Amino acid sequence: MKSFDLVEPATLDEAIALLDSQDRSVRAIAGGTALMLMMKTRLFQPTRLVSLRQLDGDLRGIRVNEGGGLRIGAMTSLAELEYSPLLAGTYPVMSQALRTLSNIRIRNVATLGGHLAHGDPHMDLPPILLTLGGRISAVSRRGRRWIPISDFFVGYYQTSLAKDELITAVDVPGQSPGVYCWYEKFTARSADDWPTVGVAVWYSVDSNVITEARIAVSAATERPMRIAVAEALLINAPATRQVFSKAADAAADEVQPIADLHGSASYKREMVRVHVRRALEHALNSRSNGAG
Amino acid sequence: MAAHYTESAAKVVEPPSKIKRKAPGSGQVKRSVRRLESKAKVDGSAEYIYNLSLPGMLYGKIARSSIPHGKILSIDATAALAIEGVHAVITGEDIRRLIPDPYYGPAFHDQPILALDKVRYAGEPVAVVLAADPHVAEEAADLIAVEYDPLEPVFDEVAASKAGAPIIHDRLRPAATFPDLKYLQGRSGTNVALSGRVRRGDLEKGFRESDHIFEHTFRNGKVIHAPLEPFVTLAEMNGPDGLTIHTASQSPSFVRSEVSRLLGWPENRVRVRTAFLGGGFGGKLYIKLEALVAACALLVRKPVRIALTMEEQFYTITKHGATVRLKTGAKKDGRIVAREVETWWNGGAYADIGPRVAQKSGLTSAGPYDIENIAIDSHAIYTNEPPAGALRGFGVSQVVWAYESQADIIARALKIDPLEFRRRNILREGRPHATGMLMTDVDIDAILDRLAERMEWDRPLDHGSGTIRRGRGIAIGIKACVAPTTSVAMVNIYGDGSCGICCSTVDMGQGSDTAMAQIAGELLGVSAEAIRVIHPDTDVTPYDMATLGSRSTYHMGNAVRHAAEDARAQLLRIAATALQTDIDELECRDGAVLTRSGARMSRQITPFWMLGGAGAEIEVDTETGRIRVTKLVNVGDAGSAINPDIVERQLIGAGTMQFGFTIFEEMIINEGQVVNASFADYKIPGMLDLPDDLTGELVEVPHRHGPFGAKGIGETGMFCVSPAIGNALYDAIEVRVMEMPLTPERVLRALRQAQDRPLTSD
Ligand SMILES: Cc1cc2nc3c(=O)[nH]c(=O)nc-3n(C[C@H](O)[C@H](O)[C@H](O)COP(=O)(O)OP(=O)(O)OC[C@H]3O[C@@H](n4cnc5c(N)ncnc54)[C@H](O)[C@@H]3O)c2cc1C
């Protein structure tokens, strides 16, 4: 490993000033869990790491926002989220997913900001956030902008964040009471592995007819993404096994799976089919909904 | 002090088999003593070599080959040497100046300390950078430029054994230490390092007399040991002409003799010491980093430390991948009358102990069955993959996977209950094994009984419906412990009556310190907790072959027992003499009472048979292929357990390890490159993966020569887990997977194939 500078600015302004829009070898470091893996394999060789550890204020903690949803600071650790009663009450689907998101050693240091900024498609929370909706606060020398979560993941390890931008917080809207939510994680190896396929679903039902629906898939695909064709099949249809199966088939046809150590493309396509259907069924059966 | 070594010391100690030795019976053995080192491990004070640093030491970082097979044209260290803080760059040629023939290995002298002339696997050490700062060494190691002329590689063990395959070693170089391998000296033009053979009866006649013949080929993937403490060695000069090596090794005595041989020094100038090991599982046997670190220290005349990263373990030693072809002839009533076994072991680029693995596990590869006609061939093969060596079970789990999967196939084909099928075929006390050796102190019926009881075999199993199907399976297995080997121990009784045991058994988590203390304590009337076990230091502790193959409880346990018996006899004599006030004796009492004892074996292939069985209940998700093991029972014959709790945990620990190997652990090697060489991508089971019901069960068949009747059990829990799960899979969904591990994708593909709606391949 080449030597590099590790700086620990005390304020957000200082941190932003230390980033560089041109130089790829200058980066922020939060928990370091993703970055260190890349450094070990020499995929990334920094000249400067800007540690966000000393930053607080907006970057830390979980608060109720105007819309009855939550604003989560980027430096909030995944373990804090896991144990937060506020999160459990507002988005139980997230609390549940956190339990098998890696292991407790990783969750203790990994942060929500790093989890999103990394852009790895094999992540558990992005598909859930894609279904819950929300926006990401990105701050740079140019000021703050809000990026809708739906515009955030643009490609394989690619986000719409500029190199000199920092995530400070994530705003997730409050969910209406009748909404059904579920996250289905499938691992091919250990239980706390990265998912082979992750599927998040969100839908509302009125007199047994689905009125609104969101389905997001991750890990099988190059980025976490909504599957519009499958969603369309649900709307105005009854919440039945046949309908769920049809939507699942459509999702399986639609995705372009990427083969990796977790499975071949054809296996992953099959797993998308199985887990989209299961997620839709489990959401209905568990009555666990996004609004708690 | 020599005067105090007793007569029995140097003699063969073959205890009379009939006479029950009378122990003082102080209640130390057969007691679940807590591990002596528990507290030290919890509070962090336990010594590990990984935590050791020496004043003025240099850190070494290894530059590794990027290609699987090729000639080295040049090594350019200019850029590395230009980095500030780099002390030296060492290559194979530098080593050759110090050691003219720098090839090492326990079975073959085939592995260069650093690559010479050519490389034989991707990841092979090519050069070492030394620097006072480990990060500087690492940065510089990346800058070493090696130019290769690539040679055609070969990876598959069966392909590598065929004529016309690219040749990996110009000629075979068996080590002189194994006289039986001498005939291989100088053989050339082959990748077959060795072929082990066993013949019994008349195979062709057996097949002719069979009503049914079954032939299948089974495969095992490559996996690794994954100890928590990676490989680490430090070496320093010891006076003007001595060397001290601190190393996380399972075999300090072997390290001493091999390093001395390489240097052309007498053994007494090399001192090797170890501490607790953070796991070994066979990976830290023989010699790994020691020759390299010793050579570096001698070249720069400074202390040197090389500690591998977790990732580098994948390029150091693995378990053997293996292909096993099994042809079995059976009568209508299920009696097996003929069996032919041929195994190809993927040994990787260097033999390490692979030829012995092939030979030893070959001996028992027809299973614990009474078969008249047997032919066994077991080939150790060189390939261009990382070297394979010993891994907890020494090849046995690979062959058990084959013969116990096939046992299930045969039983089902003949419509015989799998348990009953085994009862009709097992080897019983007094019957000859394939090798001709008679079975003694074994009771496979007892293992089957226990399995039947714990698996509630008579109760029908609910096989489930819908997408979750249930199944159960059993398997049994046999291993011959290592061939006759030597262990020596000293028991010291200090002036104040406290007691220390000097022995070179390495406590790597298996609890050997505790077991040895119990054995000595039993004889000396001292509680095990009050005894100190002195860790291996070849200057202090006497010779031991190695900590491997479940041999220590039996071999070292016997040595400690004899030493303690001796010390006790001496104490009593001294006390008696003291009463008569003999002046000479009184003089001597101020020093320690030392005694030495050796244990030696007769000319049998094994001092004891290791037998085990496993039963598994599983659930299979028929839409994903994922297996969930709900119950795993591991039965092992421990002789009479010295410490029942530790024995049970050994079975559970081994069962857990093999469970991981069975359901998802696998090194993915693509064109010779390990593509998942990290614990981010090579997953081992965590708590959430373990079976809800996971037990170790002791069957106690006292062994006539074991210390207090004990046998070794460290590996037994590994043998049978894989076929038990594979057989349960068949019971659940009637699909047979012939290749390990049983990953969800592999299972789903097999299931969909059977349903005639195959999953397309990419
Ligand atoms: C062994 C292991 C197992 C794992 N298993 C899972 C799993 O099962 N499921 C799962 O979802 N994930 C898993 N992960 C991934 C884990 O969730 C991520 O590594 C983690 O969330 C990243 O957060 P971090 O704070 O450590 O990020 P870091 O490593 O510090 O940073 C990651 C990236 O984000 C950037 N960054 C960090 N913070 C900010 C910010 N505030 N603004 C802008 N950019 C920023 C960094 O510059 C870097 O590029 C696993 C990781 C490991 C190591």
Side-chain angles (χ1 to χ4, degrees):
Chain A
M1 194 184 295
K2 280 209 179 91
S3 64
F4 57 86
D5 294 329
L6 177 69
V7 283
E8 291 199 328
T11 66
L12 182 59
D13 286 345
E14 282 176 71
I16 290 166
L18 285 161
L19 293 173
D20 189 315
S21 64
Q22 303 305 318
D23 189 345
R24 311 192 102 257
S25 70
V26 174
R27 277 211 207 181
I29 180 166
T33 59
L35 218 50
M36 296 298 284
L37 282 188
M38 295 185 6
M39 286 162 65
K40 275 202 212 177
T41 52
R42 314 282 198 277
L43 277 174
F44 172 60
Q45 303 216 9
T47 54
R48 182 196 303 155
L49 288 182
V50 180
S51 169
L52 308 183
R53 267 175 213 230
Q54 304 294 331
L55 307 187
D56 45 23
D58 211 24
L59 276 89
R60 303 231 172 232
I62 307 165
R63 292 182 256 294
V64 178
N65 61 19
E66 306 91 66
L70 297 181
R71 173 167 296 189
I72 306 168
M75 285 301 287
T76 308
S77 76
L78 299 184
E80 278 172 79
L81 281 173
E82 179 186 4
Y83 297 125
S84 159
L86 204 51
L87 191 84
T90 321
Y91 316 115
V93 60
M94 273 179 82
S95 300
Q96 233 163 48
L98 281 157
R99 278 185 221 145
T100 57
L101 191 159
S102 184
N103 55 59
I104 188 62
R105 295 168 300 285
I106 299 288
R107 294 198 296 274
N108 274 336
V109 287
T111 65
L112 182 63
H115 188 82
L116 297 174
H118 190 38
D120 180 348
H122 304 89
M123 298 276 215
D124 289 310
L125 299 183
I128 299 175
L129 290 171
L130 280 175
T131 59
L132 295 176
R135 51 187 195 154
I136 290 170
S137 153
V139 175
S140 68
R141 273 167 280 197
R142 299 177 294 284
R144 181 206 301 246
R145 64 176 177 131
W146 288 97
I147 308 172
I149 188 91
S150 53
D151 294 344
F152 189 75
F153 301 102
V154 294
Y156 192 62
Y157 286 90
Q158 275 184 323
T159 69
S160 50
L161 209 62
K163 271 187 245 339
D164 61 348
E165 269 180 325
L166 285 180
I167 299 177
T168 58
V170 180
D171 237 357
V172 187
Q175 309 292 314
S176 49
V179 168
Y180 295 96
C181 284
W182 190 261
Y183 176 64
E184 192 76 23
K185 171 172 182 164
F186 177 70
T187 64
R189 303 179 298 194
S190 60
D192 58 6
D193 194 4
W194 281 272
T196 301
V197 168
V199 177
V201 298
W202 178 107
Y203 58 94
S204 48
V205 179
D206 192 3
S207 348
N208 205 33
V209 168
I210 300 172
T211 52
E212 257 187 296
R214 299 172 194 160
I215 298 174
V217 170
S218 67
T221 44
E222 62 157 13
R223 64 185 170 89
M225 54 170 72
R226 296 263 300 268
I227 312 288
V229 285
E231 292 172 354
L233 283 171
L234 293 177
I235 293 176
N236 292 327
T240 62
R241 202 190 144 95
Q242 288 93 313
V243 169
F244 293 161
S245 275
K246 255 207 229 149
D249 287 341
D253 289 346
E254 174 72 8
V255 293
Q256 308 261 310
I258 296 186
D260 58 21
L261 290 169
H262 304 268
S264 67
S266 51
Y267 181 68
K268 284 186 169 186
R269 185 185 301 285
E270 207 48 36
M271 291 307 98
V272 167
R273 188 190 319 280
V274 171
H275 292 95
V276 166
R277 197 198 69 232
R278 286 185 182 180
L280 290 166
E281 284 172 7
H282 288 155
L284 199 62
N285 296 340
S286 77
R287 304 215 135 262
S288 146
N289 60 47
Chain B
M1 290 283 117
H4 296 278
Y5 293 178
T6 60
E7 214 23 77
S8 68
K11 268 199 307 208
V12 175
V13 189
E14 194 75 65
S17 55
K18 289 280 141 42
I19 307 160
K20 262 237 169 260
R21 257 182 321 277
K22 185 95 179 67
S26 48
Q28 296 304 308
V29 301
K30 305 188 203 311
R31 174 165 81 93
S32 291
V33 174
R34 291 241 184 108
R35 300 274 190 99
L36 303 186
E37 72 283 9
S38 304
K39 185 165 181 296
K41 283 192 175 169
V42 171
D43 72 17
S45 58
E47 188 197 2
Y48 291 95
I49 299 298
Y50 211 86
N51 296 333
L52 179 67
S53 64
L54 298 171
M57 73 180 183
L58 299 173
Y59 291 84
K61 190 74 198 172
I62 298 172
R64 296 173 181 277
S65 165
S66 56
I67 64 166
H69 200 191
K71 287 204 181 94
I72 299 174
L73 299 178
S74 66
I75 302 176
D76 183 355
T78 320
L81 286 165
I83 303 269
E84 197 185 317
V86 170
H87 187 88
V89 173
I90 312 271
T91 66
E93 292 303 334
D94 297 318
I95 305 262
R96 188 135 58 181
R97 277 193 288 280
L98 178 74
I99 302 168
D101 186 23
Y103 291 87
Y104 67 87
F108 285 66
H109 294 157
D110 61 354
Q111 188 159 3
I113 293 175
L114 287 172
L116 281 171
D117 311 321
K118 72 183 241 178
V119 292
R120 297 179 177 86
Y121 71 96
E124 177 167 1
V126 173
V128 171
V129 178
L130 298 174
D133 179 335
H135 301 294
V136 168
E138 189 184 337
E139 179 185 354
D142 283 349
L143 297 176
I144 290 178
V146 188
E147 215 187 324
Y148 300 102
D149 178 10
L151 296 167
E152 191 192 336
V154 60
F155 307 113
D156 178 78
E157 60 272 14
V158 179
S161 72
K162 300 253 163 73
I167 297 300
I168 296 163
H169 291 269
D170 294 343
R171 57 193 179 86
L172 301 186
R173 297 192 53 186
T177 35
F178 291 127
D180 62 310
L181 303 183
K182 222 170 172 175
Y183 73 99
L184 297 164
Q185 183 67 49
R187 207 172 264 197
S188 65
T190 181
N191 293 322
V192 182
L194 169 152
S195 286
R197 274 164 68 93
V198 178
R199 293 291 182 271
R200 174 177 166 76
D202 180 342
L203 189 73
E204 286 318 313
K205 184 167 155 280
F207 281 132
R208 276 197 306 277
E209 289 170 359
S210 301
D211 297 318
H212 303 273
I213 290 178
F214 300 86
E215 187 166 357
H216 301 95
T217 299
F218 299 87
R219 289 202 165 77
N220 297 264
K222 272 199 176 175
V223 294
I224 64 156
H225 309 70
L228 214 50
E229 178 193 37
F231 299 87
V232 55
T233 300
L234 292 85
E236 59 182 327
M237 303 295 298
N238 182 359
D241 62 357
L243 188 67
T244 298
I245 299 173
H246 312 259
T247 184
S249 169
Q250 293 175 242
S251 49
S253 303
F254 183 85
V255 169
R256 178 179 58 177
S257 54
E258 188 68 347
V259 170
S260 309
R261 181 189 67 79
L262 287 161
L263 292 170
W265 291 9
E267 289 196 15
N268 64 8
R269 280 166 55 192
V270 178
R271 173 184 172 206
V272 181
R273 55 172 298 273
T274 69
F276 284 115
L277 254 59
F281 312 113
K284 293 174 183 163
L285 275 172
Y286 308 108
I287 175 163
K288 293 291 177 303
L289 291 173
E290 291 86 356
L292 174 60
V293 179
C296 288
L298 289 172
L299 284 168
V300 299
R301 319 262 336 148
K302 273 173 171 289
V304 170
R305 170 190 162 111
I306 296 184
L308 298 191
T309 60
M310 282 289 183
E311 289 77 8
E312 285 177 290
Q313 295 192 41
F314 291 87
Y315 303 109
T316 304
I317 196 76
T318 72
K319 184 175 180 175
H320 283 80
T323 300
V324 189
R325 186 180 62 79
L326 206 55
K327 184 175 169 188
T328 304
K331 292 286 205 189
K332 278 204 260 322
D333 66 358
R335 280 285 305 157
I336 301 175
V337 289
R339 177 163 267 182
E340 186 181 26
V341 192
E342 188 166 15
T343 307
W344 294 262
W345 300 90
N346 192 328
Y350 296 104
D352 196 87
I353 201 65
R356 274 283 188 253
V357 170
Q359 229 176 7
K360 269 315 266 201
S361 56
L363 294 180
T364 57
S365 61
Y369 298 115
D370 199 337
I371 307 171
E372 286 302 326
N373 309 293
I374 292 178
I376 293 170
D377 290 280
S378 187
H379 316 289
I381 312 289
Y382 283 119
T383 67
N384 291 112
E385 289 190 349
L391 193 156
R392 204 173 189 177
F394 221 64
V396 167
S397 65
Q398 290 95 320
V399 296
V400 179
W401 164 242
Y403 66 67
E404 283 303 273
S405 293
Q406 200 188 46
D408 207 63
I409 294 174
I410 300 172
R412 285 171 185 277
L414 303 182
K415 304 213 171 358
I416 303 170
D417 175 80
L419 196 101
E420 171 58 25
F421 172 77
R422 288 171 173 87
R423 280 204 204 283
R424 288 183 196 175
N425 284 294
I426 52 176
L427 273 166
R428 295 197 164 84
E429 184 80 11
R431 291 287 304 159
H433 175 257
T435 54
M437 182 178 161
L438 297 185
M439 301 299 292
T440 50
D441 303 320
V442 297
D443 190 352
I444 306 178
D445 283 297
I447 290 174
L448 286 171
D449 288 346
R450 184 69 66 88
L451 270 181
E453 179 198 321
R454 287 289 289 113
M455 295 299 294
E456 299 175 80
W457 201 251
D458 295 333
R459 169 188 58 91
L461 184 81
D462 172 8
H463 282 85
S465 58
T467 59
I468 299 293
R469 297 299 170 95
R470 288 188 203 90
R472 62 182 172 184
I474 53 160
I476 54 175
I478 183 170
K479 177 177 188 277
C481 180
V482 285
T485 43
T486 304
S487 290
V488 183
M490 295 196 303
V491 168
N492 290 340
I493 297 174
Y494 303 117
D496 64 353
S498 66
C499 171
I501 300 170
C502 289
C503 73
S504 294
T505 289
V506 180
D507 196 322
M508 47 192 185
Q510 81 279 39
S512 57
D513 282 5
T514 310
M516 297 310 154
Q518 285 181 262
I519 290 169
E522 176 78 13
L523 290 153
L524 297 169
V526 179
S527 91
E529 290 86 343
I531 292 177
R532 172 143 182 265
V533 181
I534 289 110
H535 283 159
D537 178 338
T538 55
D539 273 9
V540 177
T541 57
Y543 177 84
D544 178 46
M545 183 249 186
T547 305
L548 61 78
S550 310
R551 65 179 289 283
S552 301
T553 300
Y554 184 93
H555 293 80
M556 188 59 79
N558 263 328
V560 168
R561 193 197 80 205
H562 292 309
E565 274 171 356
D566 220 22
R568 184 168 152 270
Q570 290 191 45
L571 270 182
L572 296 178
R573 222 182 307 135
I574 290 165
T577 314
L579 289 173
Q580 296 160 16
T581 59
D582 183 316
I583 288 162
D584 288 346
E585 288 295 331
L586 282 174
E587 280 288 336
C588 292
R589 270 195 298 168
D590 285 341
V593 182
L594 280 179
T595 158
R596 162 175 289 194
S597 168
R600 250 179 258 159
M601 302 304 137
S602 61
R603 234 174 275 289
Q604 299 172 316
I605 72 152
T606 180
F608 60 90
W609 295 103
M610 299 172 63
L611 290 153
E617 272 181 25
I618 68 165
E619 286 178 0
V620 194
D621 184 330
T622 57
E623 288 185 311
T624 64
R626 202 174 209 285
I627 292 174
R628 199 168 80 85
V629 177
T630 49
K631 177 172 179 170
L632 186 59
V633 180
N634 226 322
V635 184
D637 172 5
S640 298
I642 300 278
N643 185 322
D645 274 7
I646 291 186
V647 168
E648 236 174 75
R649 286 194 294 266
Q650 280 275 18
L651 287 168
I652 291 174
T656 304
M657 193 168 185
Q658 188 67 26
F659 161 79
F661 293 166
T662 307
I663 67 165
F664 54 70
E665 280 184 54
E666 186 175 27
M667 284 172 69
I668 313 284
I669 306 180
N670 188 355
E671 291 298 310
Q673 307 284 348
V674 187
V675 293
N676 60 340
S678 83
F679 289 100
D681 282 324
Y682 178 101
K683 288 288 176 184
I684 60 177
M687 282 299 171
L688 296 174
D689 299 296
L690 295 188
D692 305 332
D693 185 353
L694 174 65
T695 51
E697 295 270 325
L698 272 73
V699 165
E700 296 191 272
V701 184
H703 190 276
R704 64 193 70 181
H705 301 324
F708 303 101
K711 293 187 192 179
I713 193 140
E715 300 162 305
T716 309
M718 302 290 286
F719 303 162
C720 304
V721 170
S722 306
I725 293 173
N727 294 342
L729 179 67
Y730 187 89
D731 190 46
I733 57 171
E734 302 200 343
V735 162
R736 185 71 60 184
V737 178
M738 314 293 258
E739 182 168 3
M740 286 231 291
L742 308 173
T743 58
E745 177 158 357
R746 202 167 264 159
V747 171
L748 189 71
R749 283 190 181 278
L751 177 63
R752 295 288 290 266
Q753 190 74 40
Q755 293 170 338
D756 220 15
R757 40 181 206 125
L759 222 57
T760 56
S761 46
D762 287 355

